Amino acid sequence: NESLAPFSRAGRGVPRRPFNRPVGARRRIALAQLPLDDLKAVRAAAGCTVNDVLLAVVAGRPVWRWSLDAAVESGIGPVLVVSGCAALALPEGVDELHNPDWQDGLAGSLRLAVHRAREHGADAMVVGLGDQPFVPADAWRSVAAATGTPLAVAVFGDAARPPVRIHADLWPELPTEGDEGARGLLRR
């Protein structure tokens, strides 16, 4: 695809996680039946999603934490999490910026991140999503290192997906409302 030619092709393959390893000594199969109402009760008490509760039960921590840990492990710079419906228990050194309008879509969270990046004098930012636990730290590093283009994206197989490095020159072109982030820039 010619439209992907200027993008960094980082992070091929999927890293091993507890829930995608081959069955063996390090991965066992166990069956459990949990009533959905119980999962919803935990979700309400924790201020997260049912998906977070289920993955915490299955994998030992919420899905967003896998994503965050890879971003931190990458060592590419300060890490900012834009949170929504609930405050998160973040590790030391990770900043949280609450989006009170989180229900309005991804664009509002991205707008807050751009504002913070400008405050810190950044000339680019690398953006990832909390619901992508299979993105390895090396994908974050590769995208961050792709400074020869204003827009760089990780590619897994044939699919371009976050994280995405967005140079400040492109920030005004990001959507200001709705549930889309840099996807429109990637389609150009």
Side-chain angles (χ1 to χ4, degrees):
N1 185 333
E2 288 182 32
S3 66
L4 295 179
F7 302 137
S8 168
R9 298 207 176 254
R12 297 191 187 275
V14 176
R16 291 290 180 203
R17 298 287 194 242
F19 37 84
N20 71 346
R21 287 188 182 126
V23 176
R26 293 186 166 217
R27 179 176 176 216
R28 296 174 300 280
I29 293 178
L31 299 176
Q33 187 171 1
L34 302 169
L36 182 57
D37 287 342
D38 289 354
L39 293 174
K40 287 180 178 179
V42 173
R43 176 204 53 84
C48 60
T49 68
V50 169
N51 188 40
D52 286 336
V53 174
L54 185 59
L55 282 166
V57 169
V58 173
R61 56 186 163 160
V63 67
W64 62 264
R65 187 58 193 251
W66 291 96
S67 303
L68 175 61
D69 289 349
V72 170
E73 180 188 330
S74 73
I76 62 172
V79 176
L80 170 70
V81 172
V82 180
S83 62
C85 65
L88 304 173
L90 299 174
E92 188 174 323
V94 174
D95 289 330
E96 182 174 13
L97 181 59
H98 178 68
N99 179 4
D101 300 318
W102 59 270
Q103 70 279 3
D104 292 341
L106 181 61
S109 295
L110 190 55
R111 188 175 59 248
L112 289 172
V114 166
H115 181 73
R116 178 67 61 90
R118 282 188 177 125
E119 286 179 345
H120 288 272
D123 63 355
M125 64 180 183
V126 179
V127 178
L129 302 175
D131 64 354
Q132 295 186 318
F134 300 118
V135 176
D138 65 336
W140 287 85
R141 283 189 288 273
S142 295
V143 169
T147 58
T149 180
L151 186 64
V153 63
V155 175
F156 299 90
D158 291 331
R161 295 190 305 232
V164 179
R165 182 186 179 278
I166 309 167
H167 190 274
D169 292 344
L170 294 178
W171 295 348
E173 298 179 43
L174 291 168
T176 57
E177 58 186 27
D179 201 29
E180 186 169 287
R183 192 177 313 142
L185 295 176
L186 295 172
R187 283 191 291 248
R188 298 190 312 178

